[in-house]
Amino acid sequence: MSYIAIPIPRGAGKQDIQIEVTVNNEKQALHYKVELFYWDDCKNPQGHRADCIAELLAKHDPNWTVYYIGAPTDDFVPITFVEKRLKSNLTESH
C-alpha cells in the first residue's frame, strides 16, 4: 500500500475523519478515527507503556485496525484507527 499524508486539524479528544479518494478511476471511501488512550485507564498505570497500550487495544472494536500510534504525553497516547473495509466498497468513477 502506498501512503500520502493529509494534515488533519488538531482537535481535542476523539476525532472522526472520513475521506474519499479516487485512484486510477476507482473511488474509495476511507473512515479513520483518532482516540486518546489515558495511562490512568491501565490496570498498572506505572508499568511499561507498551503493555498498557496492548491492554487498552485488547478491548477495542475489532472492526477497526490500528493505523498509527502518535507521540505519547504524560497523560495519554493518541491512536489512529482505520475502519476495515471490504473490496466491494470500491466503485467505478466516470
Side-chain angles (χ1 to χ4, degrees):
M1 174 185 284
S2 297
Y3 299 93
I4 60 171
I6 300 171
I8 304 297
R10 187 175 275 291
K14 185 176 180 177
Q15 293 178 301
D16 186 47
I17 304 158
Q18 295 191 32
I19 300 171
E20 187 175 283
V21 295
T22 303
V23 179
N24 296 329
N25 288 330
E26 290 184 355
K27 188 181 288 188
Q28 183 176 7
L30 304 171
H31 191 189
Y32 296 89
K33 66 179 177 178
V34 178
E35 292 187 24
L36 304 181
F37 288 85
Y38 290 87
W39 304 122
D40 289 342
D41 292 340
C42 295
K43 290 179 184 172
N44 180 9
Q46 301 306 316
H48 197 280
R49 287 186 169 177
D51 293 333
C52 178
I53 291 171
E55 173 193 325
L56 295 171
L57 291 178
K59 302 177 229 170
H60 202 269
D61 184 345
N63 293 318
W64 293 82
T65 301
V66 172
Y67 182 74
Y68 179 77
I69 298 175
T73 70
D74 289 338
D75 298 320
F76 63 85
V77 60
I79 300 180
T80 303
F81 298 86
V82 62
E83 187 175 26
K84 292 181 181 177
R85 297 281 181 160
L86 300 174
K87 202 89 158 136
S88 63
N89 287 348
L90 294 176
T91 57
E92 191 82 16
S93 176
H94 298 286

